[in-house]
Amino acid sequence: MTPLDAAWWVVCVVLVVSGAAKLFEPGATDSTLAGLGLRAPRGSGRLLGAVEVVLGAAGLLATPGAVAQVVAVLVALLYLCFAVVVFAARRSGLDDCGCLGVRSRAPSLGHVVLDAAFGAVAAAAALAGPTDLWGGLASLSAVAAVAVAVAVAGLAGLVVARI
């Protein structure tokens, strides 16, 4: 297990949480897309949420190999698209980035940088070969595994609280 593995898991957990929020309340995402002039079909926010949950979960669970690398590439592309959307929402003066369902958050440059950084982490994981959460934690002692799991969950929670 490497620091890149832990960063990859944070990226995936945040994706699952933001996707779940969109599944339950897709309206903010739909409004952001409409506010940007995108002709997204009805239910796009919920569909995007489902994609996020599936890709995030796959990133956490896929054992090392070609499938895990493809998932990491898709996650990298998704986060880079998020960076572009948040940047466009900021430039357009929208009040909400649409990232977390009912919790409104103004788009910021910090959010753009975070999305780009998460895309870079996912791209690095794709190149290095991402490690699944269970396999990575199993390679550690019980105490270290608990510490890493708590750190990953805590960092993901901090990120979600900030976006």
Side-chain angles (χ1 to χ4, degrees):
M1 197 222 104
T2 68
L4 177 59
D5 295 327
W8 166 243
W9 300 334
V10 169
V11 165
C12 291
V13 170
V14 170
L15 199 58
V16 169
V17 171
S18 67
K22 287 179 187 78
L23 285 173
F24 289 107
E25 184 52 59
T29 303
D30 291 337
S31 294
T32 297
L33 295 174
L36 293 173
L38 301 174
R39 294 179 192 238
R42 183 171 162 85
S44 294
R46 196 163 267 133
L47 177 62
L48 178 59
V51 168
E52 289 178 50
V53 168
V54 168
L55 284 177
L60 292 169
L61 301 174
T63 56
V67 170
Q69 287 179 291
V70 168
V71 168
V73 167
L74 293 174
V75 168
L77 293 172
L78 188 58
Y79 270 108
L80 294 177
C81 287
F82 289 163
V84 169
V85 167
V86 173
F87 184 77
R90 185 175 186 281
R91 281 187 51 109
S92 297
L94 297 181
D95 294 332
D96 190 359
C97 63
C99 294
L100 285 172
V102 295
R103 198 177 108 227
S104 179
R105 187 72 170 188
S108 69
L109 285 180
H111 192 163
V112 173
V113 170
L114 181 69
D115 284 339
F118 275 17
V121 167
L127 291 172
T131 300
D132 62 293
L133 179 64
W134 309 125
L137 294 179
S139 70
L140 304 172
S141 70
V143 171
V146 168
V148 168
V150 167
V152 166
L155 286 171
L158 284 173
V159 168
V160 169
R162 293 295 307 151
I163 59 172

